[in-house]
Amino acid sequence: MTGPYRKIVEVLNGKTVAPPPIWLMRQAGRYLPEYRETRVKAGSFLDLCYTPDLAVEVTLQPIRRYGFDAAILFSDILVIPDALKRNVRFVQGEGPQMDPIDVSGIGNLEGESVLGHLAPVIETVGRLRQELPEETALLGFCGAPWTVATYMIAGHGTPDQAPARLFAYRHPEAFEKLLSFLAEISAEYLIAQIDAGADAVQIFDSWAGVLGEREFENFAVKPVARMIEIVRSRRPQAKIIAFAKGAGLNLLHYRQKTKADAIGLDWSVPLFFAAELQKDGPVQGNLDPMRVVAGGRSLEEGIDAILDKLGNGPLIFNLGHGITPEADPENVTALVRRVREAGV
Ligand code: CP3
């Protein structure tokens, strides 16, 4: 059975598409004036995530403006702790906050009502698939267990995730329980997104880079491998991108161990190493988001280097992390144009 032609799906099937398809992490966000306008209307950030009309609208905004090859569901990785009743708040200028979890809190975690709580997000996925152009892929996502756990343990963002690393050494059993709980609940959430119409899903392990060698294996590789195993056992055709930010040389066997179809690369991954990783399958990335802020020659040079080293293999062009609020929307126009004009 062949579905509609969507370039990102082709790449996820191992094909080389030239020029490569493009989308940007955090493509719906504060750098866009139309996002800021809808954001004000929504009241709180979580209200925006849980109101399908508004979430659909902000997901479509960057598609209308730039014609990206994929839309990414507008939500957040922290809707999972919110669904677990951790009292998640997004405080203006302070980032996300929630009640920090302890050993007994982990013992009391209860997953039954999670998918019910996330029903509006799943509804958003279904409505997006109906409203998107036929050729635009729809991506679902969730956070990787390690990254979600770092916020649940600290109760807020931290620069190095010291609280979660310390908790893992002090309470290894409770910590492992938290990771496996999150892996199972997140796999169910991804399956629901796929069933509602997501062409592929991305697992964000934004804090993989603070882990030592053994911890990367136990906290980043194993739970993500388990999630992918659950999803594939139930939806064998599922397409999955795994983004382990800062993982460096640990990426060498990451695809093989997790069975992800594509691996996301942050901007610190050297392009010769990215090209090695691409020999085993599709890669996604890895322009420094600061080049999009700087614009001009630095933007062009960054784009050209990636296309030169990775453009002849299966590549999804993306940033190495989310676009930042300071980025000029005009620079994104220039970025998309340069990628689309490559090799033609
Ligand atoms: O366009 C898209 O990429 C889809 C939407 C999306 C958001 N967050 C919207 C958002 C996605 C995929 C995420 C993922 C996410 N959220 C991650 C993983 C990727 C990454 O960036 O590392 C993480 C770690 C989070 C947690 C999170 N959410 C933080 C730390 C913050 C606060 C920092 C900030 O930029 O304000 C958020 C809030 C958030 N999530 C915003 C958006 C657009 C900004 C909130 C606002 O509009 O007020």
Side-chain angles (χ1 to χ4, degrees):
M1 205 182 77
T2 56
Y5 183 83
R6 293 180 183 139
K7 287 179 186 167
I8 284 177
V9 178
E10 296 294 307
V11 174
L12 290 173
N13 279 315
K15 304 222 171 67
T16 298
V17 177
I22 175 171
W23 69 279
L24 305 184
M25 289 187 271
R26 292 270 183 109
Q27 64 191 20
R30 283 171 298 187
Y31 75 107
L32 289 178
E34 58 269 37
Y35 170 84
R36 295 196 297 268
E37 207 173 289
T38 315
R39 172 77 178 76
V40 170
K41 264 193 245 161
S44 84
F45 174 72
L46 281 175
D47 286 336
L48 178 53
C49 296
Y50 295 140
T51 309
D53 277 344
L54 299 178
V56 166
E57 167 58 22
V58 291
T59 306
L60 295 176
Q61 286 168 351
I63 305 304
R64 292 192 199 111
R65 210 187 243 261
Y66 304 115
F68 287 122
D69 294 291
I72 181 160
L73 161 70
F74 189 85
S75 178
D76 198 85
I77 64 166
L78 301 179
V79 296
I80 289 282
D82 186 56
L84 292 168
K85 307 189 172 73
R86 303 311 303 164
N87 187 21
V88 174
R89 295 93 66 191
F90 287 81
V91 184
Q92 204 72 42
E94 285 182 48
Q97 297 187 3
M98 67 190 78
D99 298 343
I101 199 162
D102 56 14
V103 173
S104 76
I106 291 172
N108 292 334
L109 280 172
E110 214 261 286
E112 234 156 73
S113 58
V114 166
L115 283 189
H117 182 90
L118 297 175
V121 181
I122 301 303
E123 182 185 332
T124 301
V125 175
R127 285 172 48 181
L128 279 168
R129 191 56 276 170
Q130 289 179 351
E131 294 195 28
L132 279 167
E134 173 90 355
E135 69 276 12
T136 310
L138 175 58
L139 304 179
F141 74 93
C142 70
W146 160 249
T147 287
V148 174
T150 64
Y151 290 97
M152 291 180 73
I153 287 168
H156 51 82
T158 77
D160 54 4
Q161 305 310 345
R165 284 155 53 213
L166 190 55
F167 186 97
Y169 294 128
R170 283 187 173 151
H171 310 287
E173 281 174 25
F175 190 65
E176 188 176 323
K177 182 164 188 283
L178 176 59
L179 292 182
S180 23
F181 179 88
L182 289 172
E184 287 181 19
I185 212 85
S186 305
E188 295 297 331
Y189 179 44
L190 290 182
I191 290 169
Q193 294 180 39
I194 291 165
D195 290 349
D199 294 283
V201 289
Q202 174 157 320
I203 301 169
F204 285 89
D205 216 345
S206 305
W207 290 102
V210 302
L211 293 169
E213 186 175 14
R214 277 188 60 191
E215 290 68 39
F216 185 83
E217 198 61 33
N218 290 329
F219 307 159
V221 172
K222 280 190 191 150
V224 170
R226 174 79 185 123
M227 277 172 72
I228 295 181
E229 177 184 60
I230 297 172
V231 173
R232 290 260 171 70
S233 71
R234 309 247 302 275
R235 302 292 179 272
Q237 306 304 323
K239 291 289 164 218
I240 302 168
I241 306 167
F243 173 58
K245 182 174 180 287
L249 279 179
N250 286 316
L251 287 173
L252 207 48
H253 305 293
Y254 189 63
R255 185 203 311 269
Q256 196 190 335
K257 287 178 177 167
T258 60
K259 305 278 193 298
D261 295 284
I263 52 176
L265 309 178
D266 67 79
W267 71 89
S268 74
V269 176
L271 290 174
F272 85 87
F273 184 49
E276 284 302 308
L277 297 169
Q278 198 186 34
K279 288 180 183 162
D280 295 330
V283 295
Q284 172 177 280
N286 72 338
L287 189 73
D288 184 351
M290 285 307 118
R291 289 192 189 265
V292 187
V293 178
R297 273 311 293 157
S298 54
L299 177 60
E300 292 171 1
E301 282 168 7
I303 298 167
D304 293 355
I306 292 169
L307 293 174
D308 181 47
K309 294 288 194 315
L310 305 175
N312 293 319
L315 170 68
I316 299 169
F317 198 101
N318 205 317
L319 305 182
H321 197 201
I323 189 167
T324 59
E326 305 77 40
D328 181 345
E330 293 299 317
N331 289 345
V332 178
T333 307
L335 160 61
V336 173
R337 188 183 306 126
R338 196 163 184 95
V339 171
R340 293 250 161 94
E341 284 171 358
V344 278

